[in-house]
Amino acid sequence: MARTLTLPAIQIRAPGRRVALKNTLVHLVLLASVVVVLLPYYLMISTSLKPIQEIFTDPFSGSPRAWPGRTTWTPGTTRPSAATS
Amino acid sequence: MSWYRTAFFIPHVTSLAAAAMVWHWLYNPDQFGLLNYLLDKVGIPPQRWLLDPLQAMPAIIAVSIWSSLGRDIVIFLAGLQSISQDYYEAAQIDGANNWQLFRHVTWPLLSPTTYFILIISMIGAFKIFALPLFLTGGGPISKTLTIVYSIYQQGFQYFRMGYASAQAYTLFAIIFLITMLQRRVLAHRVHYDI
């Protein structure tokens, strides 16, 4: 529609480098917000996999040193403290 | 796009009780609290969060926003997608810049959505109960004693059922009046079409 008009004042901006930069910035902001929003879920899952000492010494670590040994999820483990063995 | 939508919506479908437990840990006032752990990494002294009369309510507000953000995003997204592209094209042909496009096309055509979100968020804010219950128990010097938590406290902890019942009816009246006021003030600013 706009293309058929020949008014000189109209500029249809081509998706150039500026648009790409803007999109990158938007995605960076969104990704940062997603990290903040999903942080509690990350903590829930990573904490459930860790022995109790590690929960307090290094709460944000994602690679529990006990993994893949006995965790809270191991069958037969009834109490979180049992995973510390 | 849909990944972001999913990520932001997850807190809204999480049980608030379960989420509050995690946030309780994040807000732990000693050095084991995860937020204090992060603050310690950048050299800020530990905060008392839920035990501080000045910080308790903002902390609860943050969790409340966290849990309802996804719902608002999804509703706003639906509102934005329902605006016809024709309006933008017409305005662009008339030489509107980005701000004018937002101010004179997006904002007025989004006003029914904004109005809806404003009303349900306001009512939702009056009904906040689970977060004070799980996080603060009414909070330091009653700073987070919300209306519904007060009803619960009077009725089921102090067993003053009559008082609690009166509070509940008062809450109904307050919500009713404020919603009517919003309707009176805002309804004529809501545009369903240009």
Side-chain angles (χ1 to χ4, degrees), chain B residues 2 21 28 35 37 40 46 51 64 79 86 98 109-110 116 118 130-132 135 139 141 157 179 182 186 190:
Chain B
S2 61
M21 286 297 116
N28 215 349
L35 290 182
Y37 177 86
D40 188 56
L51 298 180
S64 186
D86 299 353
N98 277 345
L109 285 173
L110 204 58
F116 173 70
L118 193 68
L131 289 177
L135 290 179
I141 53 170
Q157 290 185 329
T179 308
Q182 281 178 310
L186 296 172
V190 174

Side-chain angles (χ1 to χ4, degrees), chain B residues 59-136:
Chain B
I60 286 200
I61 291 170
V63 183
S64 186
I65 290 173
W66 172 83
S67 87
S68 61
L69 187 68
R71 179 200 64 198
D72 297 350
I73 285 177
V74 166
I75 296 173
F76 266 129
L77 194 65
L80 283 170
Q81 284 171 343
S82 72
I83 300 176
S84 167
Q85 207 61 35
D86 299 353
Y87 295 122
Y88 291 102
E89 240 174 69
Q92 265 175 334
I93 286 169
D94 289 340
N97 60 31
N98 277 345
W99 164 249
Q100 286 167 325
L101 282 182
F102 174 76
R103 178 63 188 81
H104 299 289
V105 180
T106 309
W107 185 246
L109 285 173
L110 204 58
S111 57
T113 315
T114 317
Y115 181 56
F116 173 70
I117 294 216
L118 193 68
I119 292 208
I120 59 167
S121 304
M122 188 74 86
I123 294 173
F126 275 110
K127 297 194 314 183
I128 282 178
F129 168 69
L131 289 177
L133 176 71
F134 291 117
L135 290 179
T136 62

Side-chain angles (χ1 to χ4, degrees), chain B residues 152-163:
Chain B
Y152 163 75
Q153 214 174 35
Q154 295 294 339
F156 299 102
Q157 290 185 329
Y158 306 152
F159 296 105
R160 298 164 70 185
M161 283 294 174
Y163 192 87

